[in-house]
Amino acid sequence: MYGYAQLTVIQVLTHLDTTYGTVDAFDLAHNLKRMNATWSPSQPIEDLWNQIKDAQKFAADHDPITDQYAVRSALENLENSGMFTDSLRDWRKPTIAAQQSFATMETHFTAADKERRRILTSKGMGYANKATEAKSNKDSPASTKGDKNGVPMYYCWSHGLGPNGNHTSASCSKPVTGHRKDSTADNMLGGCCQIHRKAGERAIYRRPQRPNRDNDENQPPADPAQG
Ligand SMILES: [Zn+2]
């Protein structure tokens, strides 16, 4: 026997078809490329596992990709991402190294990625809170403000809530009797409960008459000119 010498062309083609199906060397090379394609840390880490598992499945009947090769492929991507320094060091510790399968790797780095994202998110929130704080502090050094539909509002015991950051309980220029400099929007200390209208805005609202409660609330003093 000399290899395929005694086989007919049909037999050879049948053999090739049985062995490789419609998958040729080019497909397999391309499959490896997909498996090793750059994974970005902005993608879910599942994308990385899937691109490797898909490649393994694709090649399984033709030129199987071993677990070890899959692990190496994933490691290269994780190293290149620059995001998993600590987890990669842990991964190389002898205790884990002894049982380094692709499944172990998936568990180890999925947990690491989850923690990485948790920290990123809480950091992001931290920055957002700081930004809001900084803005508030600039608007009003004293914590006298309330908030109306996202517009900063400032509270004065004698005159109520308004958009003027220079008019608070502490800075009021025309306090009335009983004025409390320490009152704030969330602790009014019995102060005025009105919200300033825009300059020139006509009041239409009238407090409904309540027969059983006549004059048990003091009318707030008139609003002085607001800057
Ligand atoms: Zn005032």
Side-chain angles (χ1 to χ4, degrees):
M1 294 286 255
Y2 298 95
Y4 293 145
Q6 296 182 6
L7 302 173
T8 66
V9 169
I10 295 294
Q11 280 174 312
V12 170
L13 287 178
T14 307
H15 167 78
L16 288 174
D17 193 49
T18 309
T19 310
Y20 295 106
T22 53
V23 174
D24 60 22
F26 177 81
D27 292 328
L28 290 168
H30 195 69
N31 184 51
L32 283 184
K33 259 190 193 162
R34 279 199 303 267
M35 169 170 161
N36 297 321
T38 303
W39 171 80
S40 150
S42 64
Q43 292 175 257
I45 200 163
E46 285 74 25
D47 285 3
L48 176 62
W49 310 137
N50 287 338
Q51 79 186 35
I52 292 170
K53 285 188 218 171
D54 288 350
Q56 272 187 312
K57 243 180 251 168
F58 183 87
D61 294 334
H62 315 291
D63 185 12
I65 295 167
T66 63
D67 230 35
Q68 276 184 316
Y69 188 77
V71 166
R72 275 207 304 278
S73 169
L75 268 186
E76 192 160 324
N77 245 320
L78 292 167
E79 272 166 359
N80 290 342
S81 77
M83 291 288 167
F84 295 94
T85 319
D86 292 349
S87 316
L88 283 163
R89 199 180 47 230
D90 288 346
W91 176 252
R92 293 199 175 88
K93 280 180 185 163
T95 40
I96 303 181
Q99 34 173 327
Q100 276 178 356
S101 67
F102 186 71
T104 319
M105 163 171 253
E106 205 178 330
T107 311
H108 181 80
F109 285 98
T110 299
D113 190 55
K114 199 175 166 191
E115 177 63 8
R116 178 180 74 88
R117 283 171 196 278
R118 190 189 64 77
I119 290 168
L120 271 183
T121 309
S122 59
K123 265 189 193 165
M125 298 286 281
Y127 289 137
N129 287 340
K130 283 224 177 71
T132 313
E133 256 169 46
K135 190 176 177 297
S136 317
N137 290 342
K138 198 177 119 228
D139 289 347
S140 159
S143 64
T144 50
K145 65 188 203 52
D147 201 287
K148 193 181 72 174
N149 303 335
V151 179
M153 299 289 274
Y154 303 86
Y155 184 71
C156 166
W157 192 93
S158 298
H159 302 103
L161 202 62
N164 180 1
N166 297 320
H167 185 175
T168 64
S169 294
S171 65
C172 182
S173 58
K174 292 173 186 164
V176 300
T177 310
H179 184 88
R180 293 282 303 264
K181 287 195 165 196
D182 53 340
S183 63
T184 59
D186 56 357
N187 188 13
M188 290 160 62
L189 302 174
C192 173
C193 65
Q194 284 200 331
I195 299 173
H196 303 168
R197 297 187 187 281
K198 271 194 279 189
E201 181 183 331
R202 198 162 57 89
I204 295 166
Y205 174 83
R206 290 278 173 267
R207 187 194 293 253
Q209 292 295 318
R210 279 180 285 185
N212 297 331
R213 290 182 68 209
D214 35 330
N215 296 336
D216 60 350
E217 281 181 57
N218 296 329
Q219 287 300 305
D223 189 24
Q226 293 294 316

